[in-house]
Amino acid sequence: MTNHHRIAGNGQIQFGVFFQGVNHTTVWKDPQSGSQTDFESFRRVAQTAERGLFSAFFLGEGLRLREHLGKIHDLDVVGRPDAQTALAALAAITTNIGLVATQNTTYNDPADLAHRLASLDLLSGGRAAWNIVTTDNAWTGANFRRGGFLKHEDRYVRAEAFVQTAKAIWDSWADGAIAGSRKDPRWLREDAITTVKRKDESFDVEITGRLPRSSQQHPVLFQAGDSPDGRDFAVRNADVIFSAHPELEDAKKFRDDIVARTLKAGRPADDVKIFPGQEFILGATAAEAEEKHQWVRSLQVGPETAIAYLEQFWGRTLTEYDPDGPLPDIDPIVDVTNPTRGNAFHGKSAKDLAAQWRADAKENGQSIRQFVAARSRLNGRGLVGSYDDIADKLAEYAHTGAVDGFNITPWIVPGGLDDIVNELVPRLQDRGVYRTDYEGTNLRENLGLRAPLTRRGSLTSTKLTESEEVA
């Protein structure tokens, strides 16, 4: 798609924090590392982020423990408490930060999930958000009573029907449904609730919503799919995209593509915010930051982890290979990688990938461990540098409009945001590119979002032509 629809930056950058809970990039062997499951870790990360005026605290989801060559994978951080349980607890000890739950449209029910998200939204004062994800593989499906899986091409069909149903449930209570005064004869206005009915290939439901809307009307919708179908789904449904394009030039291209798709969907060019995932490794000087970067990578990718990373693609044990030697010279024994270690390993042509990796590693003079360390950040190298250099770089992002913010993945928990909040945020504020207070009382206001799509009236009133730009 050819895109020439760049929107001008508003001169501001925002931050969210992504508490992953399952990954090999969170360092757990260092003495400063805390528990990945104790509430204290969640509390400290969320309250530090709020002290730094972050927009959102974002939780990942895992529907099955990851496996490696048929056994539970035990080298990385593993296991996550239920997202909405954790976020409900955090709502009580925070005031402004958004609370984002990753929730799956394949193995949830729209009536139940819509109610739970609306509950979090009301109880938090309008701070809830839903990161919409899909799953289409039988391996994950085996963990559920009905089992099974979706055809790959149907995952967004079900997701769209799910989201539309959830929005209808949230909209089912009329404005002013609840009595505004004790003098009113009824607590609930007569005929104030509309029954939601839907019957199609995805759902056959008849639902009466159980809650009114919060101050932000709907939970904010995040989406992270990067395929063409995923991008189109996002511009039709989401408020924010959690992207995998943090590098500046790549981020500009991604923004161009999303703006073009957003306009085609009949929405204003700047209607969908973009927050790439990113890792920050900072120091007082560039040299200190680079030394820290090398140390972090050595902890993230130890010898066993490096070998295990390749084993998932080769489909066999590779313990006979030296992690500080060249990549294996044998072909994988599988044609396509499986999803048991996560999406990064899923659906790859193993032999083609192995050949390409051997060539790349040889060209760059990399050992197995060096090669895997270089790949360990799927979103690129990360932002590595001095506080001042990274502040200058982020100011450039803010002024170009390439992104609206970054969803930061701490390399250590719970202290991974400390230097960002204590050192980087004040420098960004000095440069005028970061908020000095929250803009509103709910997440939609703090992200600078318009009303939910279904609450705006006709979309034709907001539709822009493809030649328009947003200043």
Side-chain angles (χ1 to χ4, degrees), residues 6 65 84 121 123 138 188 229 268 289 297 308 351 353-354 389 413:
R6 180 75 44 74
L65 288 179
Q84 289 190 63
D121 206 26
L123 294 174
L188 185 67
D229 285 346
R297 289 288 180 265
K351 291 182 180 179
L353 200 64
D389 288 346
V413 169

Side-chain angles (χ1 to χ4, degrees), residues 237-257:
N237 297 283
D239 301 298
V240 185
I241 293 176
F242 179 15
S243 90
H245 302 274
E247 304 298 333
L248 184 57
E249 293 307 313
D250 191 27
K252 289 177 182 177
K253 293 176 183 176
F254 183 76
R255 168 71 85 180
D256 285 347
D257 182 64

Side-chain angles (χ1 to χ4, degrees), residues 2 5 24 29 46 79 82 95 110 168 171 184 197 212-213 249 256 261 277 300 310 332 335 357 360 371 424 437 445:
T2 302
H5 311 293
H24 75 269
K29 293 185 176 181
D82 171 68
T95 305
D171 286 336
D184 289 341
K197 298 180 181 180
R213 289 180 297 279
E249 293 307 313
D256 285 347
R261 293 175 191 269
Q300 289 173 326
L310 295 189
D335 294 325
W357 283 2
D360 291 346
F371 178 80
L424 182 60
D437 201 356
E445 292 170 341

Side-chain angles (χ1 to χ4, degrees), residues 148-412:
F149 59 101
L150 288 174
K151 292 180 180 179
H152 188 70
E153 61 270 21
D154 290 341
R155 68 199 190 285
Y156 284 119
V157 174
R158 179 181 169 91
E160 192 127 21
F162 196 117
V163 172
Q164 289 172 358
T165 305
K167 288 180 177 181
I169 294 169
W170 295 331
D171 286 336
S172 64
W173 283 51
D175 294 332
I178 298 174
S181 167
R182 288 185 175 86
K183 297 179 181 179
D184 289 341
R186 296 181 179 88
W187 182 83
L188 185 67
R189 201 180 78 210
E190 190 174 3
D191 299 324
I193 306 174
T194 302
T195 299
V196 176
K197 298 180 181 180
R198 183 184 189 103
K199 187 172 184 178
D200 56 23
E201 66 273 18
S202 299
F203 300 108
D204 183 358
V205 295
E206 185 170 328
I207 303 163
T208 301
R210 290 177 281 161
L211 287 172
R213 289 180 297 279
S214 75
S215 62
Q216 70 170 353
Q217 302 191 63
H218 287 183
V220 170
L221 300 182
F222 284 68
Q223 203 270 340
D226 198 33
S227 67
D229 285 346
R231 296 184 189 196
D232 284 339
F233 175 85
V235 301
R236 289 194 303 268
N237 297 283
D239 301 298
V240 185
I241 293 176
F242 179 15
S243 90
H245 302 274
E247 304 298 333
L248 184 57
E249 293 307 313
D250 191 27
K252 289 177 182 177
K253 293 176 183 176
F254 183 76
R255 168 71 85 180
D256 285 347
D257 182 64
I258 293 302
V259 168
R261 293 175 191 269
T262 303
L263 289 167
K264 188 175 180 180
R267 299 174 64 178
D270 65 342
D271 215 30
V272 181
K273 306 299 182 184
I274 299 175
F275 277 63
Q278 186 60 285
E279 181 184 58
F280 285 53
I281 300 179
L282 309 174
T285 66
E288 180 183 313
E290 185 56 40
E291 182 179 354
K292 186 176 179 182
H293 171 246
Q294 297 301 323
W295 172 73
V296 169
R297 289 288 180 265
S298 71
L299 291 176
Q300 289 173 326
V301 184
E304 290 178 305
T305 296
I307 293 296
Y309 187 95
L310 295 189
E311 285 177 339
Q312 191 70 8
F313 292 95
W314 263 254
R316 53 153 288 176
T317 60
L318 298 170
T319 51
E320 69 270 29
Y321 287 88
D322 180 359
D324 294 315
L327 268 65
D329 53 2
I330 59 173
D331 283 334
I333 63 171
V334 295
D335 294 325
V336 178
T337 55
N338 63 54
T340 62
R341 280 276 300 277
N343 288 336
F345 297 88
H346 185 207
K348 312 292 185 184
S349 175
K351 291 182 180 179
D352 292 344
L353 200 64
Q356 182 61 53
W357 283 2
R358 274 194 294 265
D360 291 346
K362 185 176 181 180
E363 180 180 349
N364 296 318
Q366 292 171 321
S367 66
I368 292 175
R369 189 171 178 180
Q370 290 169 331
F371 178 80
V372 174
R375 284 188 53 82
S376 67
R377 291 301 306 155
L378 297 177
N379 292 334
R381 182 175 186 263
L383 283 175
V384 180
S386 72
Y387 305 124
D388 287 308
D389 288 346
I390 297 303
D392 289 339
K393 188 174 185 66
L394 291 176
E396 183 180 3
Y397 275 91
H399 293 304
T400 62
V403 303
D404 296 284
F406 286 97
N407 214 18
I408 298 172
T409 303
W411 55 268
I412 195 167

